[in-house]
Amino acid sequence: MSTDDATAQVRGWFTGRLPEGWFTGAPEIVRDREEIAVLGTLPDPPADTPETERQALVEGLARRFREETRERRIEIAREAEHKFRQKVSWGVVCGGETVMFTTLSVPVMTRLRQAERQVLDTLVAAGVARSRSDALAWCVRLVGRNTDEWLAELRDALRHVDRVRSSGPDVHS
């Protein structure tokens, strides 16, 4: 099964399993090897909400949703984790802001040369990050934010490779 097919299966399962009325539409499903992130869209604050109030209102709406749905989300996550063998994290989108309730933090081993370690150490010394690990995560977020278009093209190319690979002959027989 291709990555796209597997994600579509997960998306369909969650769309069918989540209670009606939780979100304004089908949830966005973001998957990697370790985690399924379920992002649902809440109704936006009224357009006439003053900007000074808007952020607090979004935070309040997200917090209320989180508290009111906690038990059901845990139940649904347990079912999904058993079915798909991946951890589930939750978040909402409201007023253009994404608020994650839970996320999985996965250790990643890497080898860095001295010049690369010095970059991380500079970020730590400057107070940008608390540790090398935090500094590396900061760098990854910065690259991701500044190369969204390129990363989207790369992901599209990988999906194409998955489709071609899945339609080829089975060489493991």
Side-chain angles (χ1 to χ4, degrees), residues 116-139:
E116 295 158 335
R117 292 190 310 269
Q118 287 174 340
V119 170
L120 300 181
D121 292 341
T122 299
L123 293 171
V124 172
V128 172
R130 293 173 297 182
S131 64
R132 283 180 170 175
S133 177
D134 285 343
L136 187 55
W138 182 88
C139 291

Side-chain angles (χ1 to χ4, degrees), residues 30 36 41 75 146:
V30 180
I36 299 168
T41 301
E75 175 187 325
N146 290 313

Side-chain angles (χ1 to χ4, degrees), residues 7-31 36-42 65 73 76 88-93:
T7 299
Q9 182 182 24
V10 171
R11 183 180 304 109
W13 187 87
F14 273 99
T15 300
R17 181 64 180 87
L18 294 175
E20 287 187 31
W22 269 17
F23 306 125
T24 60
E28 177 185 358
I29 303 296
V30 180
R31 291 182 68 220
I36 299 168
V38 181
L39 292 154
T41 301
L42 301 178
F65 177 85
R73 284 186 298 104
I76 293 167
V88 174
S89 62
W90 296 90
V92 293
V93 178

